[in-house]
Amino acid sequence: RSQLEIVETLFGFVLTFLFFNTALMFIDVGRIDYQRRANIIRAVGSLIKFDSLIAQQCGMDIFIDLAWPVNVSAWLEFRRLLITMGSQFRPRIALYTSYITVFLIGLMLWVLISIFAIGEVTTLAVATVGGFLLSLGYFLGRSIWYGSATNEQFGYQARSLSRIQLRLRELRTSVIMKHAATHRISLKEKMIEARLMQADSLMDAATHLLDMDSKLEPITILGIPASKELYTTTATLVLSAIGGILVEYYFNSQ
């Protein structure tokens, strides 16, 4: 009978391991999508930054001159195209990921409560539950991290646009002051001032659009907007659960 119990235990461990691997694959799909989206939106945002990391890595200036209205519109269209790539699959991925995450969290809570209620903690149980908690925490944590990086880019890009807009307004002010001093303005200067005014208006609209996108289309995990605070909370809960198992195992082994 003891051999049969050993076989049943090993068989149950293998089945549980396979189930968790299959379930974690759904969470990993969401993590990969969030990672891809975070890298894309970061690269798009670097195109309107003077000190972008891409420019430093390539050793050349990769910067879109937003003093031209057509470039503002082109950057917005380029950004929308890259961010919405694969958007038809994103709700399905988020739904599957949420279901699997809730189920795994509930199962892990049930296992933890069972361990503390029974009072007997075996080495196999500690290794199994600890490994599954680490795996779940890793994939879920990475998804939250990349989601928060994507959400932060809305604010970073709006700030970059505001800085460029401030510089353009300084240029317009200098042109206006020059006109006031000389009381003369050439046709070329009139065209430059009109172009700067149009670019300024478009950047106002772009900043407002980024603000609306950050409120209407943030990356959410279980309905909660991804943020660094959520990442820290998740990591703390996972590590606390593992620490509680190890403490219970230590006192039971004494």
Side-chain angles (χ1 to χ4, degrees), residues 15-16 28 34 45 55 75 90 95 104 118 125 127 130-131 137 148 161 163 181 183 197 209 240 246:
L15 288 180
T16 306
D28 196 33
Y34 296 144
W75 179 78
R90 194 167 295 127
L95 184 63
L104 288 181
I118 294 174
S148 66
L161 286 176
R163 288 175 175 175
H183 300 287
M197 288 182 61
L209 179 62
S240 299
L246 293 177

Side-chain angles (χ1 to χ4, degrees), residues 20-184:
F20 267 82
N21 274 347
T22 304
L24 288 175
M25 284 178 60
F26 286 95
I27 300 178
D28 196 33
V29 168
R31 179 191 65 84
I32 293 173
D33 181 72
Y34 296 144
Q35 180 180 3
R36 178 194 62 80
R37 192 177 184 188
N39 292 334
I40 286 177
I41 195 173
R42 188 182 297 114
V44 172
S46 66
L47 294 177
I48 58 173
K49 290 176 61 179
F50 292 103
D51 55 347
S52 65
L53 182 61
I54 292 180
Q56 297 174 9
Q57 292 175 346
C58 297
M60 58 185 296
D61 293 333
I62 302 178
F63 179 77
I64 296 179
D65 186 5
L66 297 184
W68 296 84
V70 65
N71 288 346
V72 180
S73 301
W75 179 78
L76 286 174
E77 288 297 324
F78 180 64
R79 178 183 178 277
R80 183 186 64 82
L81 174 64
L82 292 182
I83 291 180
T84 57
M85 188 181 301
S87 59
Q88 64 270 28
F89 303 107
R90 194 167 295 127
R92 192 182 309 169
I93 292 174
L95 184 63
Y96 290 162
T97 302
S98 299
Y99 282 157
I100 295 298
T101 303
V102 169
F103 181 75
L104 288 181
I105 292 175
L107 185 59
M108 296 308 301
L109 288 175
W110 177 77
V111 173
L112 289 173
I113 293 173
S114 299
I115 288 177
F116 286 102
I118 294 174
E120 284 188 30
V121 184
T122 63
T123 304
L124 179 61
V126 171
T128 302
V129 177
F132 289 153
L133 275 175
L134 282 176
S135 299
L136 176 62
Y138 171 78
F139 288 111
L140 186 59
R142 297 291 285 181
S143 297
I144 296 173
W145 179 268
Y146 288 122
S148 66
T150 301
N151 292 338
E152 288 173 352
Q153 281 298 314
F154 291 108
Y156 292 156
Q157 292 175 11
R159 184 178 62 183
S160 296
L161 286 176
S162 297
R163 288 175 175 175
I164 297 174
Q165 194 174 17
L166 177 62
R167 179 57 180 162
L168 293 182
R169 290 181 179 179
E170 290 176 351
L171 291 175
R172 285 180 55 203
T173 302
S174 64
V175 172
I176 293 173
M177 294 297 292
K178 180 182 177 181
H179 297 165
T182 60
H183 300 287
R184 294 191 321 180

Side-chain angles (χ1 to χ4, degrees), residues 1-12:
R1 185 172 180 179
S2 59
Q3 293 181 350
L4 180 60
E5 291 178 351
I6 294 175
V7 171
E8 289 177 349
T9 302
L10 292 176
F11 185 69

Side-chain angles (χ1 to χ4, degrees), residues 67-69 172 175 179 185-199:
W68 296 84
R172 285 180 55 203
V175 172
H179 297 165
I185 180 172
S186 64
L187 179 61
K188 182 179 179 180
E189 290 175 335
K190 285 184 178 180
M191 294 176 62
I192 292 176
E193 185 178 357
R195 172 167 59 83
L196 293 179
M197 288 182 61
Q198 188 177 1

Side-chain angles (χ1 to χ4, degrees), residues 233-253:
T233 302
T234 303
T236 302
L237 290 176
V238 171
L239 294 178
S240 299
I242 296 175
I245 295 175
L246 293 177
V247 169
E248 184 74 11
Y249 176 72
Y250 173 77
F251 282 112
N252 278 274
S253 62

